[in-house]
């Protein structure tokens, strides 16, 4: 009986050694890009949120435009042609991603907007709530919430009405792009919606908060979070800010 036990133990150790060796020799899992948008005749093959492996062939037809975000940034592929993400060139945009997704403290907030050549002004942080494009906005649990506006001239007061009828007002001072949201006086919960009214009572639409317990630290994973919660304006901002210009 003891001999059989020794044989079984030896076999188990051998199997474990073989498995460990296989794990060491196995190639690492391919990184995946995430489809941000797709237009053209092949758009149906590339729904928003679809993952595309780095070594996977991407076949596009004439008139196709495919935008994919991966760990280095956003790439725009145009048909017709066959592409692979690991064969694309251009500088990594990881530093831009880090700056865009940094959750700033009050002392770090100095400017709220960036503008490229011939580009519209956009928020410098993914987590600012753009009053010009409300919709569904993702925020991170327990983080300070700040409203953002593109224009800086003059004071501007925005009113937000909760479903129960309570109203909250936020005023941007002349020259400011940012205004704080007092979460103590007007708490934010996941799924809470507010009717937004702009200066002079103009209708600004509906603002709905999607609260993330934790924000993903990798671009692809964060893009998937934004897509899953319907925060498409932030997805567009993430994609535009991390665009890789390829030669």
């Amino acid at each position: 009986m003891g001999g059989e036990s020794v044989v079984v133990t030896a076999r188990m150790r051998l199997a474990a050694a073989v498995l460990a060796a296989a794990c060491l020799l196995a190639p690492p899992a391919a990184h995946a890009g995430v489809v941000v948008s797709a237009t053209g005749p092949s758009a149906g093959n590339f729904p928003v949120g679809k993952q595309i492996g780095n070594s996977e062939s991407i076949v596009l037809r004439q008139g196709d435009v495919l935008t994919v975000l991966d760990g280095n940034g956003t790439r725009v592929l145009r048909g017709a042609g066959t592409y692979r993400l690991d064969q694309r060139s251009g500088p990594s945009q990881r530093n831009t991603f880090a700056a865009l997704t940094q959750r700033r403290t009050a002392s770090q907030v100095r400017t709220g907007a960036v503008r490229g050549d011939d580009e519209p002004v956009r928020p410098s942080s993914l987590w600012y709530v753009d009053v010009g494009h409300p919709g569904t906005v993702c925020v991170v649990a327990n983080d300070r919430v700040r409203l953002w506006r593109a224009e800086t001239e003059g004071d501007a007061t925005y009113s937000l009405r909760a479903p129960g009828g309570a109203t909250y007002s936020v005023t941007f001072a002349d020259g400011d792009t940012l205004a704080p949201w007092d979460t103590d006086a007007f708490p934010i919960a996941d799924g809470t919606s507010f009717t937004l009214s702009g200066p002079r009572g103009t209708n600004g639409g509906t603002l709905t908060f999607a609260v993330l317990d934790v924000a993903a630290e990798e671009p692809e994973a964060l893009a998937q979070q934004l897509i899953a919660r319907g925060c498409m304006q932030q997805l567009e901002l993430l994609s535009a800010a991390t665009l890789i210009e390829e030669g």
Side-chain angles (χ1 to χ4, degrees):
M1 193 73 177
E4 292 179 359
S5 177
V6 171
V7 171
V8 171
T9 301
R11 287 177 177 171
M12 292 176 63
R13 288 176 177 171
L14 177 61
V18 171
L19 179 60
C23 291
L24 289 174
L25 294 174
H31 295 290
V34 177
V35 173
V36 173
S37 67
T39 59
S42 303
N45 298 329
F46 301 99
V48 172
K50 177 179 180 177
Q51 290 188 317
I52 300 177
N54 273 357
S55 60
E56 182 179 341
S57 292
I58 303 170
V59 180
L60 300 181
R61 297 158 60 187
Q62 187 66 37
D64 283 335
V65 179
L66 178 66
T67 304
V68 181
L69 186 147
D70 64 18
N72 290 317
T74 304
R75 304 178 187 277
V76 179
L77 310 177
R78 302 178 187 275
T82 300
Y83 307 94
R84 281 173 37 169
L85 296 179
D86 60 5
Q87 293 179 341
R88 310 303 295 174
S89 61
S92 171
Q93 296 296 313
R94 290 193 70 89
N95 288 341
T96 301
F97 171 79
L100 183 70
T101 57
Q102 179 185 7
R103 281 132 64 194
R104 297 167 172 82
T105 63
S107 62
Q108 290 174 306
V109 176
R110 301 298 299 172
T111 179
V114 294
R115 186 199 301 268
D117 295 337
D118 300 321
E119 291 181 357
V121 64
R122 61 175 183 254
S124 61
S125 171
L126 190 69
W127 309 115
Y128 293 158
V129 179
D130 184 355
V131 295
H133 300 87
T136 299
V137 178
C138 286
V139 296
V140 183
N142 302 319
D143 275 8
R144 295 189 62 183
V145 176
R146 299 177 181 88
L147 301 184
W148 179 90
R149 64 169 179 167
E151 299 298 328
T152 60
E153 278 192 38
D155 297 345
T157 298
Y158 288 79
S159 295
L160 299 110
R161 183 167 52 83
T167 301
Y168 176 65
S169 295
V170 178
T171 298
F172 293 88
D174 181 32
D176 286 350
T177 60
L178 296 174
W181 180 295
D182 187 350
T183 52
D184 291 330
F186 220 60
I188 291 172
D190 187 46
T192 303
S193 293
F194 301 90
T195 301
L196 177 68
S197 298
R200 296 173 297 281
T202 55
N203 182 15
T206 300
L207 171 64
T208 302
F209 285 103
V211 180
L212 307 177
D213 292 332
V214 178
E217 296 182 355
E218 291 298 318
E220 312 96 305
L222 181 56
Q224 291 285 22
Q225 281 187 309
L226 298 177
I227 292 168
R229 299 308 308 273
C231 302
M232 306 312 289
Q233 187 66 29
Q234 286 161 292
L235 179 68
E236 183 179 330
L237 171 60
L238 176 61
S239 172
T242 60
L243 181 65
I244 297 174
E245 299 289 350
E246 302 186 54

